[in-house]
Amino acid sequence: MRNRKEATMDWMDFNRDGEVDGFETYVGLQMLAGSRQEAIALTGDDAFYPALP
């Protein structure tokens, strides 16, 4: 049986290469966030969001 961390990380392996790379982690964190502020707090980066007018 796989350990809990492996089972949790599997959904973030979008290209199914057996590794969760930085981009997949970044996108996964964006998907988990409930708001723009939460996404920025999780990733430490606001480049994903366009500037608001």
Side-chain angles (χ1 to χ4, degrees), residues 6-22:
E6 287 175 346
T8 303
M9 296 300 282
D10 279 351
W11 73 269
M12 291 173 68
D13 186 13
F14 300 120
N15 63 355
R16 302 285 186 230
D17 65 353
E19 294 182 20
V20 178
D21 60 35

Side-chain angles (χ1 to χ4, degrees), residues 21-51:
D21 60 35
F23 179 74
E24 291 167 327
T25 301
Y26 182 78
V27 171
L29 289 172
Q30 292 286 340
M31 290 170 43
L32 287 175
S35 67
R36 179 176 190 250
Q37 292 80 13
E38 202 172 290
I40 293 168
L42 283 171
T43 62
D45 184 14
D46 66 351
F48 187 79
Y49 294 95

